[in-house]
Structures are given as structure tokens and as C-alpha cells.
Amino acid sequence: MQRDSQIFDLIQKEHQRQLHGIELIASENFVSDQVMEAMGSVLTNKYAEGLPSKRYYGGCEIVDQSEQLAIDRAKQLFGAEWVNVQPHSGAQANAAVMLAILNPGDKILGFDLSHGGHLTHGSLVNFSGKLYQPSFYGVEPETGEINWAKVREVAEREKPKLIICGASAYSRDWNYQALREAADAVGALLLADISHPAGLIATGLLNDPFEFCHIVTTTTHKTLRGPRGGMIMMRKDFENPYGLKTPKGELRMMSSLLDSGVFPGTQGGPLEHVIAAKAVAFHEALSPSYKEYTAQVQKNAQVLAKSFVDRGYKIISSGTDNHLMLIDLRSKDLTGKLAENTLIKADITINKNMVPFDDKSPFVTSGIRIGSAAVTTRGLKEQDMDRIVDYIDRVLMNHDNETILSETRKEINNWMQQFPLFSY
Ligand SMILES: *Cc1c(COP(=O)(O)O)cnc(C)c1O
């Protein structure tokens, strides 16, 4: 077969784009060569519906072992008793959990999308808001932080069957204990979606959601630095609270409900090549060097936040506990859209983002979201964060000066050559 140069030329261009720029999208990271090698392997050819040693297809002896390794390593990494590594993405993990434990029309309570929550936590344009009845909690206008007593008030008023915590753009840590007390007060289950800070949680840098949350979902490709994917975990399995029985008349365990939520509930065959890559990433995350990495991610985020504040930028909640921050550009008379479109001209990649109580549309926005996970993988340290903020400030303050923008881009491209990525 003739080589598909159209596609491989594009992949080469994307490779160069990633090498040349400063990557500050909070949900992105750079995986290792061996994670990519596993993803690009012959495992993609295998059908393996079911779970290790309980498959609906023959020839699964080898993928049984690679999937089991992924499960065992994830358990070790998070101190979990039960894990399903098959969700194709974070959204799929949440869909599987909700399908498993809710009926259409049931009430759910999540963190407001416009305050930093995720679409799958009840947004009306998402399955979670269409199939279930959502209500939301948010941050306080004065502090930019969640008031835990108020979340409990909303829970007591709405009486949801599921409370969801976790976010895509919230820079502070979570009080899982207060949320569990709210859940217990109304008989709800508590789900933590740790898609963003999973790596910092695995290495003990943030509060442990497993102690208080019944179920935990995550993506594997953000701070966890694995392939694009998702998973579902529980520290302890327990009997389902809905009275669902097995054919033998025993109460079904939650693990069995959640497994069915993934397959056959919301997915078909698992992506065994991606699951093998997850196993590789978890092995990497169990190493001492990953612990150093996440500590540096957190340090770098704190320096970024401080450098922005020092230059007169407003950070929502005034700082960060994790790897990301939301910047309200209204004090600089800029929009998120203008910032994103201008920064990309200097090869700095960020994303525009709504800020809490935003008066602009999601296509314009008043803010940008910035994260340190990818640049830290690249090897950048504290002093480099200050330099990044200098570049961002220079670009934003000169957004209509094409000469300064292109000179800054050249400077950045040269600088990034000092930080090689990928060994090929
Ligand atoms: C990124 C994210 C997801 C979705 O992950 P995908 O892999 O893009 O589907 C879900 N929840 C939260 C909180 C996220 O940040």
C-alpha cells in the first residue's frame, strides 16, 4: 500500500507545532515515547468485549494480561480496591457511572459549568443535563471559592441522588469531607471527577477524594500524563443501595453495576492498545521521578500565578493549589477570545475560558485558563515561569503590533529548542 503522505505530513507538522510552542492548555500534556509505542501497537487489532478472563471473544489471553496490569497498577497508584480502565474518555467514564446508578429523570447536583465545572456534570447541552435533572453549586463572587456550607444547603433543598464534585477550571482544593456529609444528609452518592488534578492526587499533593467519595472518575491524559482515556475507581466496593439483586438473589455490588455501566451500558469493545498505554503511564506514575514531576507542576503553577498577580492580572481566587488558574482579563480591558487569538501568533497556546459571573458569551469570554502540566513535562522550572508570564504580558499589551508578535514568536521558538521532546 502506498504511504498516506497526506496524513503523515500533517502529523509531522503537528509534531513541529508541539516542539516550537509554549503549551499552557491546562488539560494537555506530553506522553512518553513508550506510551505512544503502546498506543500505536498491534493491540488495536483485538476485540475484547468483557473483562479480563471474562470475555466474549477468543484469543484474549494476552490482552487479558495487559489489561490486568493496567488495573493492578491503577489500584496501587490510587489505593483503590476496584478499577475499570475501559472508558474511552473522561466523558465516557461519567456516562457509564450515571447510567449505572441513575434512572432517567433522577436529580443530580454538580459544579456550575460557567464557574469551572464540566459539561458532563449536568450541562443542558450534554447527556447529563438532558437525561437527568441537574442543579448546580458555584463559587462566591467575593472569594472565587466554593462555600461548602452553601453546597449542603443546595443539596438539602434539591435532594439529588448523585452529587458530583471536581472541575475543569477550579484552582483550589476540594473539601471532600464536607461534601460527603452533605451527600449523607440527603442519601445521595458522591462522585469525584478528578480528571484534571489526578496526578497531584495520586502523589499526595492534594486532598484524597477516595476517603470520602463513593466513586471516583478521571481522565488519564491530563496531569496523569497517559494516553487519551478515562477510568472509574472505588477505594472500597459496597452493596448497591438500590436493592438490585443478582440472579442468585444476592445484592449486586457497586463494582458489578459500574462494570455493566461501561459495557454493555455505554461502550462496546475496549481499546486494548490504549489500555496497554494506560498501564505504561501508571507504571511511570508509580516512579519517584513522577512524584518529583507533580511537585514541580504545583510549584510552577504557583510561580505562574504570582507572576501574573505581580503584573496586575486578576486570578480567580487569587492563587492556585493545583496545576491551573483562571485569569480574569476584564481589569486589562481584554477578552479571552482576543487573548487566545493573539497568543497563538506568538506560539503560546492557552484557551479562552468563562470566568465566574462572566458577562460575555462562551465564544468571547472574559478569561483565559492556564496550566503548568505540559511545560513541566518539557523540563521548565520556576525561573522559566516568570519568563513565560513576561512573554504573555508583552504579547497581550501589544496585541495589535504584528512586529512585536512575530519577534516574540521567534524568541520563543529559539528558547523552546533548549527543551527537547520526543526521542525521534
Ligand atoms: C476533561 C474532563 C472531562 C472529560 O474528559 P474527555 O476525555 O475530554 O471526555 C470530564 N470531567 C472533567 C472534570 C474534565 O476536566
Side-chain angles (χ1 to χ4, degrees), residues 223-239:
T223 53
L224 211 44
R225 207 164 62 182
R228 196 158 286 282
M231 66 175 161
I232 311 172
M233 302 175 274
M234 287 189 290
R235 168 123 331 144
K236 274 202 118 22
D237 198 1
F238 56 101
E239 286 177 347

Side-chain angles (χ1 to χ4, degrees), residues 89-92 94 118 120-121 166-168 193 195-196 219 221-222 229:
S89 71
Q92 290 288 112
N94 289 339
H118 192 262
T120 54
H121 300 179
S168 298
D193 176 350
S195 286
H196 263 270
T219 60
H221 49 276
K222 296 178 183 174

Side-chain angles (χ1 to χ4, degrees), residues 390-405:
D390 255 344
Y391 283 133
I392 291 176
D393 188 44
R394 187 199 297 175
V395 167
L396 293 181
M397 293 305 111
N398 297 284
H399 57 82
D400 46 10
N401 186 328
E402 294 294 333
T403 317
I404 292 185
L405 297 182

Side-chain angles (χ1 to χ4, degrees), residues 22-30 168 171 196-197 200 205 222-225 292-305 308 320-327 349-351 369-382 384-386 388-389 392:
I22 299 178
E23 183 52 72
L24 295 169
I25 293 179
S27 48
E28 293 194 10
N29 213 325
F30 299 110
S168 298
S171 62
H196 263 270
L200 280 68
L205 296 170
K222 296 178 183 174
T223 53
L224 211 44
R225 207 164 62 182
E292 282 166 32
Y293 161 69
T294 55
Q296 189 67 50
V297 166
Q298 198 178 38
K299 263 189 255 168
N300 282 351
Q302 280 160 10
V303 177
L304 281 170
F308 277 114
T320 179
D321 297 326
N322 53 36
H323 62 296
L324 64 79
M325 66 213 67
L326 254 182
I327 302 172
T349 323
I350 54 103
N351 65 283
R369 184 184 66 161
I370 282 187
S372 59
V375 284
T376 306
T377 294
R378 226 165 154 178
L380 277 71
K381 301 276 187 325
E382 288 95 319
D384 305 313
M385 297 303 115
D386 210 45
I388 288 176
V389 178
I392 291 176

